[in-house]
Amino acid sequence: MNKYSGIIFDFNGTLFFDSHMHYDAWREFSKKLRGTAFSDEEMRKYMFGRTNKDIIAYAISKEPEPDLVEKLAAEKEGLYRDMCRALGDKCKLAPYAVEFLDYLKSNNIPRTIATMSEKDNVDFYIEHFKLERWFDVDKIVYSDGTIKGKPEPDIYQIAAKNLGLPPAECVVVEDAISGIQSAKAAGIGKIVAIASLEPIEYYKNISAVDEIIEDFRNFEGIISKNAEMIKL
């Protein structure tokens, strides 16, 4: 049986169930950019896991000028963070995520985050969710303008390297198709799909997916400190 030594989390739609807010924000911005809102299928294919530059390029059907990307991204992400703040006490990590992260920490299981969110959002998450309790924030991988967006493998290759592990010894938890494709291309050993927005059935025919969950309730089923799954 394969053994896995560390875990890499996507963030949006995975550790934080915020996909609906990104949907709402990008629907409004896609209307602004091209006159019509993104369809659900376009959201799945061209929005989740992509860089803001990639999304804007798709919406306007051409390579955007850097100034336009910076302006629109700042506007959209500012709106998104305002939506998060408006949730108040309801702006919290996914169900049972805190318990799972405590478990990983107490068992010294290497872990990090690989997200296509940009720095302003990542800084917001670190502060709001106190992520330094569980993660070395310097090892979090995010969209810094140099990393190719998912489904390219780069972000998960970098995350595994930050943990000092080969990708084959890592588990990835993802909600987006592009992220699952990225993890597969990176050679990740086990890919867990979390059905935070899409139904479980949506992931059942995706060959790259090894396991499907709805939340982190059964976290010992994702990673166990037993020798069959985790080397400590």
Side-chain angles (χ1 to χ4, degrees), residues 175 177 180 193-206 209 211-215:
D175 70 308
I177 296 300
I180 292 167
I194 185 163
S196 62
L197 185 65
E198 304 288 356
I200 285 177
E201 290 71 21
Y202 181 75
Y203 299 96
K204 285 186 175 178
N205 293 322
I206 301 174
V209 172
E211 185 175 346
I212 307 168
I213 61 174
E214 290 183 285
D215 57 36

Side-chain angles (χ1 to χ4, degrees), residues 8-10 12-14 44 48-50 114 116 149-153 155-156 172-196 198-200 202-213:
I8 305 168
F9 297 94
D10 173 49
N12 305 100
T14 300
R44 295 186 187 107
F48 288 120
R50 311 286 180 148
M116 289 316 299
K150 301 170 184 178
E152 298 297 327
I155 191 167
Y156 282 120
V172 157
V173 186
E174 258 285 0
D175 70 308
I177 296 300
S178 62
I180 292 167
Q181 293 169 335
S182 173
K184 179 68 173 178
I188 292 298
K190 181 179 181 180
I191 301 172
V192 178
I194 185 163
S196 62
E198 304 288 356
I200 285 177
Y202 181 75
Y203 299 96
K204 285 186 175 178
N205 293 322
I206 301 174
S207 60
V209 172
D210 298 298
E211 185 175 346
I212 307 168
I213 61 174

Side-chain angles (χ1 to χ4, degrees), residues 51-119:
T51 66
N52 283 326
K53 179 183 177 182
D54 291 341
I55 299 168
I56 293 167
Y58 172 76
I60 65 176
S61 300
K62 64 180 182 181
E63 189 75 7
E65 294 293 330
D67 288 350
L68 178 63
V69 173
E70 184 177 355
K71 176 181 179 296
L72 292 176
E75 188 178 346
K76 180 264 174 183
E77 300 303 347
L79 172 63
Y80 159 77
R81 289 191 297 275
D82 286 343
M83 294 167 69
C84 292
R85 294 186 186 99
L87 291 174
D89 292 342
K90 294 180 180 180
C91 185
K92 55 188 177 181
L93 293 176
Y96 302 95
V98 168
E99 291 85 348
F100 187 27
L101 294 173
D102 285 344
Y103 170 83
L104 297 175
K105 181 178 179 179
S106 65
N107 286 281
N108 298 312
I109 296 171
R111 59 213 173 267
T112 194
I113 292 168
T115 174
M116 289 316 299
S117 287
E118 297 182 349
K119 188 175 188 301

Side-chain angles (χ1 to χ4, degrees), residues 118-210:
E118 297 182 349
K119 188 175 188 301
D120 287 347
N121 282 357
V122 173
D123 288 343
F124 170 77
Y125 302 142
I126 291 169
E127 179 180 1
H128 182 83
F129 297 115
K130 311 299 182 190
L131 295 180
E132 70 277 0
R133 287 182 288 174
W134 305 290
F135 297 100
D136 179 344
V137 296
D138 292 332
K139 292 182 179 179
I140 293 175
V141 190
Y142 60 89
S143 180
D144 63 358
T146 67
I147 299 173
K148 293 179 181 178
K150 301 170 184 178
E152 298 297 327
D154 304 48
I155 191 167
Y156 282 120
Q157 292 172 337
I158 295 168
K161 183 177 180 180
N162 284 357
L163 293 180
L165 298 171
E169 288 187 16
C170 295
V171 176
V172 157
V173 186
E174 258 285 0
D175 70 308
I177 296 300
S178 62
I180 292 167
Q181 293 169 335
S182 173
K184 179 68 173 178
I188 292 298
K190 181 179 181 180
I191 301 172
V192 178
I194 185 163
S196 62
L197 185 65
E198 304 288 356
I200 285 177
E201 290 71 21
Y202 181 75
Y203 299 96
K204 285 186 175 178
N205 293 322
I206 301 174
S207 60
V209 172
D210 298 298

